[in-house]
Amino acid sequence: MVDVLALGETSGDGLDPITGELVAAARTLGGSVAVALLGDGLAAHGEQAAALGPDSVLLAESPALDGTSIDAYVTAFEQVCRSASPGAVLVGKTPLGQNVGPRTAFRLGAALAQDCTAVRRDGETGEVVASRPVYGGSATAEVAFTGDAPPFIVMRGRVCEPAEPSPSTDANIIRVDVEIAPSDIRARRVESVKQDIQGVRIEDASVIVAGGRGLGGPEPFERLREIADLLGGAVGASRAACDAGWIDHAAQIGLTGKAVAPDLYLTVGISGASQHMAGCSSAKNIVVINKDADANIFQEASYGVVGDWRKVLPAFIETVRELVT
Ligand SMILES: Cc1cc2nc3c(=O)[nH]c(=O)nc-3n(C[C@H](O)[C@H](O)[C@H](O)COP(=O)(O)OP(=O)(O)OC[C@H]3O[C@@H](n4cnc5c(N)ncnc54)[C@H](O)[C@@H]3O)c2cc1C
């Protein structure tokens, strides 16, 4: 039995950053921490996960865990959970975590909280409490769990400083036998189309430069790309800009887009509707360029410039260029 089980994720030959973040979040709950890795051929990944400092790494390997069927991952994770009997389960708000977490929780009859930004134990009861932004980040809900099954918590990315790998670790690497029958697999991905991404992925970016309807067209996004490239960041957008076809929907931040938590979120021509703020309220610093001093987004801003981006942006880009080159 482990106190907290985190669903780790792989990315090519390495681990997805969410793995270290979940280990760090699990540590805040105290007790023993295990990382589960699901896949095929995980020996090297297991060592990497062990270096993050959990008490154990649970490797569930099967040829069926080849990335083509979420059903296989749900079946495997259910078996890992039943074998480890965790007191709480953390998964990332990633394509894998968002699919596997809720479906596994359902199979175990467990309560689940989505889109959480922090977890803690109640000082008196010792029970797990999760925090999640609500009303577009204007308030925080504290979620407590009922029932005998372990609470499942879906954690946003980049809300915890990831656990740092260390060469000296005494984590046990344990193989968990999982059985995935052909009848467990009801849906399989038959094709995947890789989308070319310029620069860093928006989910991983520590700097995001986001544009909205106030940009007036697709061309100004090239200016935002300039700033993003200078700062090693990614370009995001409001839904209005995506709906207008100025930028791909993959860049959309918000309730129906991506939830991000960069160190710096620079917005240009975005009004700050609650549905947009739902996706960026965890940003550490929000910097705003908007010509309307009453725009809602200024309420969330650490720094802001009231002005037309056409006048503000050229000097801004030059200053950033001078500072970073
Ligand atoms: C169910 C639902 C889900 C939604 N999900 C999302 C979501 O995920 N993400 C999202 O973003 N929205 C979402 N929306 C839409 C949301 O309500 C807003 O309509 C949208 O965010 C507005 O985008 P915007 O800020 O770019 O545009 P606007 O609200 O039109 O704001 C444009 C801003 O640009 C400023 N501006 C104009 N010209 C200039 C200039 N020259 N220089 C500087 N500033 C200028 C204006 O002052 C204004 O503040 C959703 C809505 C619904 C109903």
Side-chain angles (χ1 to χ4, degrees), residues 64-75 99-100 103 107 180-191:
L65 297 168
D66 62 356
T68 59
S69 171
I70 284 294
D71 295 328
Y73 287 78
V74 175
T75 302
N99 272 296
V100 172
R103 290 176 59 186
R107 289 188 183 190
I180 302 163
S183 58
D184 290 321
I185 297 180
R186 286 168 294 172
R188 184 180 285 287
R189 191 182 69 220
V190 290
E191 188 189 3

Side-chain angles (χ1 to χ4, degrees), residues 210-213 221 236-243 247 251-253 265 269-270 276:
R213 188 166 12 223
F221 275 95
S238 70
R239 177 160 151 181
C242 297
D243 285 351
I247 185 166
Q252 185 181 319
I253 310 290
Y265 190 67
I270 290 181
H276 184 81

